[in-house]
Structures are given as structure tokens and as C-alpha cells.
Amino acid sequence: MACQGLASGETLKSLKAESETLRKKLEEERKKLHDVELEKVAEKAEALGELNMKTRRTLKGHGNKVLCMDWCKDKRRIVSSSQDGKVIVWDAFTTNKEHAVTMPTTWVMACAYAPSGCAIACGGLDNKCSVYPLSLDKDENLAAKKKSVAMHTNYLSGCTFTNSDMQILTSSGDGTSALWDVESGQLLQSFHGHSADVLTLDLAPSETGNTFVSGGSDKKANVWDLRSGQNVQSFDTHDSDINCVKYYPSGDAFASASDDSTCRLFDLRADREVSIYSKDSIIFGAASVDFSLSGRLLFAGYNDYTINVWDVLKGTRVAILFGHENRVSSLRVSPDGTAFCSGSWDNTLRVRHEREG
Amino acid sequence: MSNNNASSNLVVAQRVVKQLRFEASVRRIKVSQAAVDLKNYCLQNAHQDPLLMGVPSSDNPFRPPKSCSLF
């Protein structure tokens, strides 16, 4: 078995020595640029007033744990998926169920709404991501039009459409992420680099270009170039699995939620962690995060059934929200930022917003 | 067998070095600069953030539904 392109003098020993040197150099470079803390820069910013978040809708209907949810671009429909294989599309204003699909698998860990609002994607223990076009005819059997798009060699942990209905990005327990063409099911690009299950992914806001971030059981968050498949940046400060990653609205940073009970903010241009959202009293893992429209608030759902709301700039907690009777597994702010929805192992979803005054 | 192990270790090590070389070449800015930009983005968009500012009941699609009376 031939080894490709060994430069003269390269041996296993010399390569290992070089990687040690490079790692040290990276650490030094990052340290040099760490001239101030985000909280210090934010000191002069006005403190946030008390928040008055109320649950406005409770979506009941799942017979088992809600594992994932996503908003439609119309800001009122929501798709959610559950442990018992059911995927439901809701009208969050009226709480009516508009569509229901029973997947041929349990633990549907990922679901996503297509940008057009005309289809949903979902998958889980079946190792696949399937797309269901949504029919206006309520009696039509959605399962009949189902299209299998992605095939992994382990469970599907996350999926999202890219800027159109035509491509889907998936993350899997097989340690890879992948980009697929929906129509043909063809694999367009695969992303290798995590050394364990990839648990989460998020696409960069469209203005900032073609990248996405993924988080895994290897405690790493990796940023990837969609076109080349290249891992462009890597962050490994978490002490345990990263369950969720979400881009900051400007695309210059992203937040993560981890089993180590902390959420963290990573700035992409400074190439380092710039804030950590934690408290000694918070000892359970964080499962899901999302930003408010301005990026000032970070909503995080935890395994202790609560949602903590953090001031992103000052690093302090501004509210703690109760209500769910089991783990909060999934949390998303609506596309226009007016409300956020949380899904839980208590089989329900809750939509909350902030009352004026 | 040991030959295969040795060459696959080598391939892995080459990949790691290649990746690290790439990451080392990434251009970075100071945290002070990055932090100021994050703060400015938040402050500039704050008044348009409904979860921060609150939504007046009249505009709110999620307000508690009022019951209708029919006469």
C-alpha cells in the first residue's frame, strides 16, 4: 500500500512533532488576540429590563417525547417530531394540527421545514432523511409521496434545507455531515473531521456566505465550507458533548449548548470562545439554544426542564422560564422574532412571547 | 498487517498536519474588535427585536384568543 506524497524526511515521528508545534502556535496566536473580555466591552451597554415572557400556546397531541421542531417561514406553522415516529405540522396561531405523518421508525430526532413551506424533511433511527411534500388536500396520504434523500450509516441527528427546497444538509451519528440534492438523492459533498457522532448543525445566515457549523460528541464545534468540504475552523473548549449550535444573527459568531451544563459564544473572526453562559446552580446539560432577532438574548433549554434566558453581551442570566414537565429538547425563535417555541420530553410544545409594558 | 497499520497511521498524521497548517493560516482579529462589533449589532437591532421590546397586544398574533358572542 503506497503512501501518497511523503515529503522527503517526513516520518510519523516528524509529523507528530510538527502537529504539536502547530497546535502550540495556534494556542499562542489565539491568546495574543485575547486582549479583553466581551463583558468588559459590554459594561457600558444598558442593562436589560425585567422580562415578562408568557406561554401563549401549548401544542398537545404528540403521544411521546418531542425531539425536534422547526418554524415555517410564514411565522405561524411549526413542524415537530417525536420518539414514537410521529411528525406533526401545526398552525401555532390556532393550535390546529394540519398534517400528521407516521414515520416507519421511532426516535425521529430531526425535522425541518422547507423554505417554500411546501415540504418537510425528517429522519432519525432509520439513518435516512426523507422529504414529504405537503399537500393542501387534507385527506391525501402524505407517506405516498415520500422521497428518501439522505442515507447515512448511523442515526440522523439533524437536517436543514439550504437556501432552497433543492438541497438538504444532514448530520449523523456516523460522524459525518453531508449535502444532498433533494430531487436525485445524490450526495453533493460530505464533511469529515469529527471523531464521534455529529449531534447538531446550523447553516450560516445567507448574507454571510456558504458555511455551516456542526457540534459533536467529540466536544468539538467545526465550521465548514459548503462547496469544498473543508473544515475551516475548529473549537474545542467544551467539556462534554455539544448538543446544539446556532449562528448569531450577523453570522460573525455562533452559540453552543452542551452536556457540560454551559452554553458558549464563539466569535468566528477572533477564532475563539468569547463568552460562557453558566452558573454553579445549573448542573444539568443544555440541549438547545437560539438567539433573539438582535442577538442580545440567548434562549437555552435544559435537561432540568427549564429555559434560561441569557444576556449575550453581559453574560448574565435575565430570566428563568418554567412550565415544561420534562427535558426541553428543542427550542427555536420564530422567523420574525416575535415568539419562540420549545419542544419537550413532556410531549408538548409551548409558544412564548414577551408582553409589552 | 503491521504494514497497513503503519501506513494508515501515517495517512492520519499527514491529514492532521495538513488541517493544522490550514487552521494556523486563518486570519484572526482581536477580541476587542470582535466584541465591539457584536455589541454594536445588538444595540443597532435592539428596537426591532420583539422578544426584547415586547409586542403590543393589538399586534400580537399569539394574544390570548377572545371568545366571540353571537346574538
Side-chain angles (χ1 to χ4, degrees):
Chain A
M1 176 173 167
C3 289
Q4 268 95 19
L6 259 187
S8 74
E10 254 185 23
T11 61
L12 194 57
K13 198 169 171 194
S14 75
L15 286 172
K16 290 223 159 140
E18 187 176 355
S19 61
E20 256 319 292
T21 322
L22 284 169
R23 267 188 242 271
K24 285 219 177 78
K25 181 178 176 208
L26 264 172
E27 232 181 272
E28 272 167 32
E29 288 296 314
R30 283 173 168 167
K31 245 197 193 143
K32 261 194 251 169
L33 297 166
H34 190 202
D35 52 348
V36 77
E37 295 293 336
L38 176 58
E39 288 105 76
K40 195 92 181 77
V41 168
E43 249 174 11
K44 299 258 176 65
E46 216 178 288
L48 294 174
E50 210 180 295
L51 291 179
N52 188 15
M53 303 248 166
K54 288 274 186 310
T55 298
R56 286 296 170 214
R57 296 289 188 275
T58 303
L59 305 178
K60 296 189 182 166
H62 275 294
N64 213 314
K65 308 178 172 68
V66 175
L67 302 176
C68 188
M69 52 89 27
D70 191 20
W71 287 90
C72 177
K73 282 220 162 80
D74 72 1
K75 313 158 225 165
R76 74 185 272 172
R77 284 172 180 78
I78 287 175
V79 62
S80 60
S81 63
S82 136
Q83 183 195 345
D84 63 1
K86 291 261 186 346
V87 177
I88 299 179
V89 174
W90 314 78
D91 176 336
F93 289 1
T94 62
T95 74
N96 287 340
K97 299 176 201 40
E98 296 203 333
H99 302 275
V101 173
T102 306
M103 292 276 286
T105 179
T106 55
W107 287 90
V108 187
M109 292 173 249
C111 64
Y113 229 116
S116 68
C118 298
I120 53 167
C122 50
L125 283 186
D126 57 352
N127 301 357
K128 293 193 223 158
C129 185
S130 306
V131 174
Y132 292 83
L134 294 176
S135 166
L136 288 172
D137 177 357
K138 297 276 167 75
D139 293 327
E140 180 157 358
N141 181 11
L142 286 185
K145 295 254 175 82
K146 161 180 157 175
K147 201 183 295 176
S148 276
V149 174
M151 286 285 291
H152 279 279
T153 53
N154 209 323
Y155 65 89
L156 189 83
S157 56
C159 64
T160 181
F161 285 84
T162 57
N163 297 325
S164 75
D165 285 19
M166 299 286 87
Q167 292 180 354
I168 284 188
L169 191 57
T170 57
S171 61
S172 168
D174 66 13
T176 71
S177 304
L179 182 66
W180 311 82
D181 176 270
V182 173
E183 195 53 50
S184 62
Q186 194 193 351
L187 174 67
L188 298 171
Q189 183 63 263
S190 67
F191 307 88
H192 298 258
H194 279 288
S195 53
D197 304 23
V198 185
L199 300 176
T200 174
L201 55 74
D202 191 36
L203 204 55
S206 39
E207 312 82 51
T208 41
N210 279 313
T211 60
F212 75 96
V213 60
S214 64
S217 295
D218 58 358
K219 314 174 198 175
K220 286 208 184 139
N222 291 333
V223 182
W224 309 84
D225 181 302
L226 266 174
R227 269 187 279 247
S228 67
Q230 171 84 44
N231 174 6
V232 296
Q233 282 174 278
S234 187
F235 304 89
D236 62 356
T237 52
H238 269 295
D239 299 316
S240 187
D241 298 17
I242 297 177
N243 297 314
C244 185
V245 287
K246 274 295 162 55
Y247 269 92
Y248 183 78
S250 72
D252 288 334
F254 69 91
S256 58
S258 165
D259 275 349
D260 67 9
S261 77
T262 71
C263 296
R264 298 179 198 227
L265 186 69
F266 299 88
D267 189 288
L268 292 169
R269 296 178 310 150
D271 190 36
R272 63 171 296 126
E273 176 190 304
V274 293
S275 199
I276 177 168
Y277 309 100
S278 66
K279 264 178 143 25
D280 288 341
S281 53
I282 300 174
I283 56 171
F284 283 81
S288 192
V289 278
D290 203 358
F291 287 98
S292 69
L293 214 66
S294 66
R296 184 69 190 266
L297 298 175
L298 184 70
F299 298 91
Y302 292 74
N303 294 343
D304 64 1
Y305 315 175
T306 66
I307 294 169
N308 287 312
V309 187
W310 301 89
D311 180 330
V312 170
L313 299 180
K314 295 189 188 272
T316 52
R317 179 172 64 184
V318 293
I320 177 170
L321 305 173
F322 301 95
H324 278 299
E325 293 165 16
N326 207 319
R327 292 192 187 190
V328 179
S329 55
S330 181
L331 191 158
R332 295 255 185 140
V333 171
S334 69
D336 62 352
T338 48
F340 75 94
C341 179
S342 54
S344 163
W345 280 20
D346 69 7
N347 308 357
T348 72
L349 295 112
R350 281 167 184 256
V351 180
R352 283 175 234 246
H353 78 112
E354 174 68 7
R355 270 270 295 278
E356 194 192 48
Chain B
M1 188 60 192
S2 60
N3 220 6
N4 271 347
N5 270 348
S7 46
S8 69
N9 279 344
L10 214 38
V11 169
V12 168
Q14 279 181 310
R15 228 181 270 152
V16 169
V17 168
K18 188 172 177 211
Q19 178 63 27
L20 285 170
R21 277 187 197 148
F22 179 92
E23 285 181 31
S25 70
V26 163
R27 224 180 289 150
R28 293 172 197 86
I29 65 171
K30 287 196 186 156
V31 175
S32 50
Q33 180 60 52
V36 164
D37 289 347
L38 286 175
K39 183 184 81 165
N40 285 341
Y41 187 91
C42 280
L43 297 180
Q44 277 158 21
N45 291 291
H47 60 283
Q48 285 170 342
D49 187 341
L51 284 168
L52 205 51
M53 301 283 112
V55 183
S57 216
S58 49
D59 292 345
N60 180 18
F62 288 107
R63 66 179 174 277
K66 292 205 174 80
S67 53
C68 296
S69 315
L70 290 171
F71 295 98

